[in-house]
Amino acid sequence: DLYQAFIALWQENKPTAVLITHDIEEAWELAQRVIVLKDGKVAFNMRLPDSVLPRKIADGAEVKAQILQALRD
């Protein structure tokens, strides 16, 4: 599974990577920064708190709400 392979690769080597996803929970779990593009422009840009990856989805409710609001605006 691509998700598990990405986590394993990152944990072993800690490379710089760009992951493009349409899944807000996946972004929360894996990212150090979330950037949301809307109509080709940055609508949301947030550095996430440093923590062990992957993060728990339940801990990201506030960030998820902020991302959804940026998509609505």
Side-chain angles (χ1 to χ4, degrees):
D1 155 68
L2 183 60
Y3 176 81
Q4 292 301 325
F6 183 85
I7 291 172
L9 176 68
W10 189 85
Q11 287 175 335
E12 183 177 328
N13 300 309
K14 306 264 192 290
T16 299
V18 175
L19 175 68
I20 298 170
T21 182
H22 292 104
D23 185 327
I24 295 171
E25 278 110 13
E26 184 175 64
W28 167 255
E29 284 183 288
L30 299 175
Q32 293 175 325
R33 176 175 297 279
V34 173
I35 298 171
V36 175
L37 300 177
K38 185 175 179 183
D39 299 325
K41 297 181 180 163
V42 174
F44 180 85
N45 183 350
M46 174 186 262
R47 176 145 172 68
L48 299 178
D50 290 333
S51 65
V52 176
L53 299 179
R55 292 181 188 87
K56 295 178 182 173
I57 290 175
D59 295 339
E62 183 178 327
V63 171
K64 181 178 179 179
Q66 291 175 7
I67 293 169
L68 289 171
Q69 185 61 46
L71 290 170
R72 286 186 205 109
D73 291 344

